[in-house]
Amino acid sequence: MTVESIPVEAAPEALAWQGDELASGCGRRWSRDGAERKVALEWSFPFDAGTTSASGPYSAVFQERGTEALLLAGEQVVRELDRSDYQAENYDYPLALGALGDGREVVVHCPDEYNVLQIEDAASGERLTAGGREPRDVFHSRLSLSPDGRYLLSVGWVWHPFGTAMVHDTALALTDPGTMDGEGLLPAAAVMKGEVTAGCWLDVDRLVLATGAEGGSGAEETTLPARHLGVWSVSEGRWLHRNPIADAEPGVLLLPRGDQVISLLGHPRLLDTATGRLVAEWPEVGVSVKTTCFGVTHVPTPVAALHPDGTRLAVAQTESIALITLP
């Protein structure tokens, strides 16, 4: 397991693999030999974070604890995005890019209210979930689409504050937008005993949720306790695995790798999702210690990207990008 280093002039605020090149999403790219080049447009203040569609040409830059964002296609600005300013300074911007089952590239965000999810056509801006809504009092954050675009995961929070997670059927939402306001496909009782801080999709059916040290209430046999890693099957509506997380809390960022996940809290750790076992870790590669998506004090989310073939992990550092060859 080797760790290489690519020197950078300034720490990238986003990373994505495009072939064997790394792109920041904000106008900077690095080749395999570490050479950095800038494209015509370079985005900076007030944008301090970014995300990229895994399936299409779209990316976005945004204020992680602000209201402004830009949707980009390559180097071209498609349009400005916005979110409610209610508590915006206290939790991470809810935004996901990807393709639905019919191939349409979409933007999923909360453009009007903190608790109202909307799906919009990326190219045209057409709102695909327009209609009457009766939202719950939940702050949506850290949105991600399943690989086939069928399901949407939101790892957000409710007032206490306490981190939680919800899953919605995007195909159903296109015909009945109000379904995105209900409990969804992940029963609230399944995520009440431990505070959910992170989640990701392993495949089109299975998702991984991780809980921090904060405990809640719920029956042990049906819910995910504190400091646990759980694998939930949407089709079966049950936990496939629930195990204590070894060594440390999970933080807010999980990257899927087959039946493993990479967590980033203080440094990268490779975890087995079936057992919760620590497979490998890299304490020499430091990242921020961010435990929830909300909080009065803003700690930036770690910036990392896993190569599509699962062999290399890129992690942003203050003066470099660490490239980890995974076991």
Side-chain angles (χ1 to χ4, degrees):
M1 297 183 291
T2 60
V3 178
E4 302 174 78
S5 182
I6 297 176
V8 296
E9 296 178 5
E13 294 164 339
L15 282 175
W17 287 95
Q18 295 178 355
D20 278 333
E21 282 194 330
L22 281 165
S24 71
C26 300
R28 301 157 66 197
R29 301 177 71 90
W30 296 268
S31 61
R32 190 165 187 172
D33 62 6
E36 178 176 345
R37 61 185 177 87
K38 297 179 180 179
V39 296
L41 295 175
E42 183 175 359
W43 304 103
S44 56
F45 183 84
F47 307 114
D48 57 6
T51 187
T52 301
S53 171
S55 53
Y58 295 98
S59 63
V61 291
F62 55 91
Q63 297 172 286
E64 189 164 65
R65 291 293 176 91
T67 61
E68 297 181 36
L70 290 178
L71 178 66
L72 311 170
E75 299 177 35
Q76 302 301 313
V77 176
V78 178
R79 65 179 182 278
E80 296 181 4
L81 304 176
D82 200 6
R83 68 157 164 166
S84 166
D85 62 3
Y86 180 59
Q87 298 290 337
E89 71 278 11
N90 292 326
Y91 74 103
D92 295 349
Y93 200 119
L95 179 63
L97 306 177
L100 300 180
D102 60 8
R104 273 184 296 185
E105 287 284 332
V106 295
V107 178
V108 188
H109 61 149
C110 298
D112 303 317
E113 302 292 341
Y114 68 94
N115 56 348
V116 181
L117 291 161
Q118 299 285 4
I119 303 174
E120 296 175 350
D121 182 271
S124 68
E126 177 191 0
R127 186 162 294 182
L128 306 179
T129 47
R133 305 293 291 270
E134 296 182 1
R136 295 186 171 205
D137 190 17
V138 58
F139 291 81
H140 294 292
S141 190
R142 309 205 68 84
L143 306 179
S144 60
L145 288 163
S146 59
D148 61 355
R150 176 63 186 270
Y151 303 118
L152 173 72
L153 169 64
S154 169
V155 177
W157 58 286
V158 294
W159 275 112
H160 290 311
F162 193 75
T164 189
M166 304 182 79
V167 176
H168 294 288
D169 186 325
T170 61
L172 186 59
L174 297 185
T175 58
D176 184 2
T179 59
M180 298 187 82
D181 299 328
E183 182 176 75
L185 304 176
L186 179 66
V191 289
M192 290 178 63
K193 195 167 183 62
E195 180 174 55
V196 179
T197 65
C200 68
W201 294 94
L202 289 182
D203 52 38
V204 298
D205 178 64
R206 297 178 302 155
L207 62 93
V208 175
L209 295 178
T211 54
E214 188 75 17
S217 61
E220 289 282 355
E221 65 272 14
T222 58
T223 193
L224 192 63
R227 294 189 69 168
H228 269 61
L229 195 69
V231 179
W232 178 269
S233 167
V234 177
S235 63
E236 297 183 34
R238 68 181 182 92
W239 293 109
L240 303 178
H241 306 287
R242 288 178 297 161
N243 292 284
I245 299 176
D247 184 51
E249 292 186 47
V252 298
L253 183 61
L254 293 179
L255 302 178
R257 184 194 186 225
D259 288 325
Q260 300 172 329
V261 291
I262 298 164
S263 72
L264 294 109
L265 184 82
H267 64 267
R269 296 171 174 86
L270 183 63
L271 304 173
D272 180 80
T273 60
T275 64
R277 182 177 65 88
L278 178 67
V279 178
E281 61 180 329
W282 296 269
E284 69 272 31
V285 180
V287 298
S288 60
V289 178
K290 182 171 183 173
T291 56
T292 63
C293 68
F294 57 87
V296 176
T297 300
H298 177 219
V299 178
T301 299
V303 175
L306 180 65
H307 193 281
D309 67 9
T311 63
R312 285 169 287 167
L313 175 68
V315 183
Q317 308 281 274
T318 303
E319 298 179 347
S320 67
I321 298 173
L323 288 179
I324 302 172
T325 301
L326 300 176

